[in-house]
Amino acid sequence: MSRRVIAIDGPAASGKSTTARQVAGRLRFVHVNSGLFYRAITWAAQRHGWIGEASRLCKGVAALDIEPEVRDGILSVRVAGQTPGAVLQGREVSRDVSAVSAYGFVRDRVLSLLRATAEVADIVCDGRDIGSVVFPGATLKIFLVADVKERARRRLLDFGGALSDVAIREEAARLEARDRADSTRERAPLRRAADAIEIDTTEMAPGDVVQRIVDLAAERGIEARTG
Ligand code: CDP
């Protein structure tokens, strides 16, 4: 049976994952970070030297063992028997992830993994194409945006890095490059679904964003699970 899905899409570092995790916590749904699958595949591709080698990447991804694991309402990804952890969020994986996730065979693999998780759990799923392609029938669709400088500032804070003007400018340039690649690819580009509700988080506190989404969910009959 297909369960309930809340889709949260948006550009890089717009706060999707943190928001999705907290909304999932409030509703007792499972948080599914779709970017984690693309990052895990990219990490494996880097280790095997498949980056820039389309046919090796295609064969490698087909044979790659990718296993979603749910623990305490949070999904992590085991790839080739390993859980890579924080390295997936690092700069090296971020550099290649948009190129890897543009391939149709990579997207098909992730799409079926995501749909399989929604068969067994109520989920809050964040990504780029969740409301538009993966779950077009989602009960609630949110599109999070924020000014790129503010996104860069938040990402640097996450990394514990310096917040100088230069560092913010450099991080903003990296985020914009990834947004451009994600928005202009042929397959499932980053795009707001027609029925998604846009929330600009530039000047919002994280808790207020979460509350707004929980309220919108309640308007659609989604309340916290009791079981
Ligand atoms: O958290 P952040 O915005 O940095 O990125 P993410 O959600 O972890 O996604 C990393 C990359 O995976 C994105 O830049 C996209 O290239 C790709 N991705 C995608 O193509 N489709 C999704 N549904 C999720 C991520």
Side-chain angles (χ1 to χ4, degrees):
M1 186 194 67
S2 195
R3 310 286 196 95
R4 291 171 297 178
V5 175
I6 295 178
I8 303 183
D9 289 301
S14 54
K16 302 176 302 283
S17 277
T18 314
T19 307
R21 185 169 57 245
Q22 291 180 15
V23 170
R26 290 272 299 271
L27 299 175
R28 304 175 78 188
F29 282 22
V30 173
H31 171 214
V32 177
N33 173 357
S34 66
L36 213 54
F37 289 92
Y38 292 102
R39 288 175 179 275
I41 292 171
T42 302
W43 175 81
Q46 287 174 333
R47 287 164 57 104
H48 288 103
W50 301 335
I51 301 293
E53 303 274 342
S55 70
R56 291 180 65 202
L57 180 68
C58 181
K59 277 193 213 112
V61 169
L64 195 61
D65 182 23
I66 308 171
E67 247 182 278
E69 267 185 343
V70 177
R71 210 176 299 148
D72 299 329
I74 294 175
L75 179 129
S76 62
V77 179
R78 272 177 85 75
V79 55
Q82 284 176 273
T83 311
V87 70
L88 293 186
Q89 305 304 330
R91 226 161 248 167
E92 204 179 330
V93 169
S94 297
R95 189 192 59 219
D96 289 329
V97 66
S98 291
V100 169
S101 64
Y103 286 105
F105 54 85
V106 171
R107 303 209 70 80
D108 289 340
R109 184 82 199 271
V110 175
L111 183 114
S112 53
L113 287 161
L114 294 174
R115 288 196 179 149
T117 56
E119 291 293 318
V120 295
D122 289 323
I123 64 172
V124 181
C125 185
D126 73 278
R128 301 290 187 289
D129 60 341
I130 305 306
S132 55
V133 174
V134 183
F135 298 114
T139 321
L140 173 62
K141 299 179 188 178
I142 303 293
F143 197 78
L144 285 189
V145 295
D147 174 78
V148 69
K149 279 216 175 119
E150 173 58 17
R151 291 191 273 132
R153 202 185 63 82
R154 292 177 190 167
R155 183 58 40 114
L156 289 172
L157 275 178
D158 281 352
F159 284 149
L163 284 181
S164 67
D165 283 354
V166 175
I168 291 177
R169 246 198 325 275
E170 284 174 358
E171 187 59 30
R174 280 190 283 271
L175 296 177
E176 279 179 324
R178 197 141 58 83
D179 288 346
R180 205 159 33 245
D182 291 340
S183 308
T184 53
R185 67 177 175 230
E186 223 164 280
R187 277 282 305 268
L190 165 66
R191 185 175 301 152
R192 178 165 90 83
D195 52 349
I197 296 167
E198 185 166 306
I199 303 178
D200 185 337
T201 72
T202 308
E203 294 187 5
M204 286 176 83
D208 294 341
V209 181
V210 171
Q211 188 57 50
R212 174 92 206 282
I213 296 173
V214 169
D215 290 344
L216 288 165
E219 284 171 18
R220 283 160 182 74
I222 302 178
E223 303 286 351
R225 282 161 47 91
T226 48

